[in-house]
Amino acid sequence: SQQGEEDPQALSIQEGENATMNCSYKTSINNLQWYRQNSGRGLVHLILIRSNEREKHSGRLRVTLDTSKKSSSLLITASRAADTASYFCATDAIQGAQKLVFGQGTRLTINP
Amino acid sequence: DTGVSQDPRHKITKRGQNVTFRCDPISEHNRLYWYRQTLGQGPEFLTYFQNEAQLEKSRLLSDRFSAERPKGSFSTLEIQRTEQGDSAMYLCASSLSRVLVGGRSYEQYFGPGTRLTVT
């Protein structure tokens, strides 16, 4: 079963604009990770944010985490055509599990 | 390339046949995971190994599925008597479990996946 939901399910923007994707989850977590998946391929790890962190940056990526609201956001600044992909958040629950639980993903399209 | 490899990349089989997939993790990683992903969905956890020990299995993993990780290196996932509902992308991931102050923290690195089509 999916841990939570990503919003929006699909997003289409112009190259150079910023893209924001949101993720909600249900249980208490150790970490939250964001992954990118190009069509028909494996997942690429983008960034991990720990439950005691509120914001993290990596290049053009900015991730926030609000554990009180059980939500996270991924911001991609100055988008490029190569950013076109599906983006997934994945959580690692505190209770006894080493597995990642994924949302359904946001399909991002960057128009040139 | 994340350093995790999977073989084969694509497999087409007829219903009722057995199939086996292989995953080679990043060499120093002690944890290995299998996930299944159907079209339009996020990956779903199947099972994971710490070294050679299989520590957790999802209810998705029916009796027709078996996974092994001999010697704590590569892993195989076998599906017996395949059904059309088994058609999916099977993803393998590995990680290095490490404990940091304040809790565990690790990233999972995924292979390219094996796409299974059961006809």
Side-chain angles (χ1 to χ4, degrees), chain B residues 44-78:
Chain B
E44 293 182 291
F45 170 80
L46 292 179
T47 188
Y48 96 98
F49 294 83
Q50 169 115 354
N51 300 312
E52 66 274 10
Q54 188 173 17
L55 297 186
E56 186 172 345
K57 293 195 292 186
S58 162
R59 284 172 288 181
L60 294 174
L61 216 63
S62 76
D63 291 345
R64 297 184 296 105
F65 288 70
S66 62
E68 293 182 344
R69 192 184 183 197
K71 304 179 183 178
S73 55
F74 71 93
S75 176
T76 58
L77 177 68
E78 181 183 17

Side-chain angles (χ1 to χ4, degrees), chain A residues 3 27-31 51 91-98, chain B residues 104:
Chain A
Q3 160 74 293
T27 62
S28 297
I29 61 172
N30 285 307
N31 312 291
S51 58
T91 53
D92 159 30
I94 285 179
Q95 292 283 327
Q98 305 294 319
Chain B
R104 294 174 292 111

Side-chain angles (χ1 to χ4, degrees), chain B residues 55-113:
Chain B
L55 297 186
E56 186 172 345
K57 293 195 292 186
S58 162
R59 284 172 288 181
L60 294 174
L61 216 63
S62 76
D63 291 345
R64 297 184 296 105
F65 288 70
S66 62
E68 293 182 344
R69 192 184 183 197
K71 304 179 183 178
S73 55
F74 71 93
S75 176
T76 58
L77 177 68
E78 181 183 17
I79 309 174
Q80 297 182 328
R81 304 181 303 282
T82 52
E83 301 173 355
Q84 286 187 322
D86 298 331
S87 294
M89 174 82 88
Y90 290 84
L91 295 161
C92 172
S94 70
S95 73
L96 179 64
S97 175
R98 49 198 168 110
V99 178
L100 303 177
V101 173
R104 294 174 292 111
S105 182
Y106 61 92
E107 298 87 359
Q108 292 188 23
Y109 294 91
F110 282 78

Side-chain angles (χ1 to χ4, degrees), chain A residues 2-58:
Chain A
Q2 303 292 322
Q3 160 74 293
E5 297 180 358
E6 270 126 329
D7 171 50
Q9 290 189 355
L11 179 61
S12 180
I13 61 173
Q14 295 299 119
E15 195 167 18
E17 294 181 340
N18 296 342
T20 300
M21 290 159 272
N22 302 296
C23 164
S24 61
Y25 57 91
K26 297 175 182 173
T27 62
S28 297
I29 61 172
N30 285 307
N31 312 291
L32 185 144
Q33 304 182 52
W34 284 90
Y35 288 85
R36 184 186 74 225
Q37 185 176 39
N38 290 86
S39 181
R41 300 195 174 186
L43 285 85
V44 174
H45 184 268
L46 295 177
I47 196 166
L48 178 150
I49 186 166
R50 297 172 62 190
S51 58
N52 61 355
E53 297 176 315
R54 292 297 166 257
E55 187 171 315
K56 203 162 183 179
H57 296 255
S58 177

Side-chain angles (χ1 to χ4, degrees), chain B residues 3 6 14 29 31 33 35 48 52 67 79 98 119:
Chain B
Q6 292 187 245
K14 292 185 178 179
H29 284 185
R31 288 194 172 148
Y33 308 79
Y35 293 83
Y48 96 98
E52 66 274 10
I79 309 174
R98 49 198 168 110
T119 62

Side-chain angles (χ1 to χ4, degrees), chain B residues 25-44:
Chain B
I26 294 171
S27 59
E28 63 268 27
H29 284 185
N30 55 353
R31 288 194 172 148
L32 186 148
Y33 308 79
W34 287 98
Y35 293 83
R36 183 172 70 186
Q37 185 180 25
T38 54
L39 197 62
Q41 301 294 315
E44 293 182 291

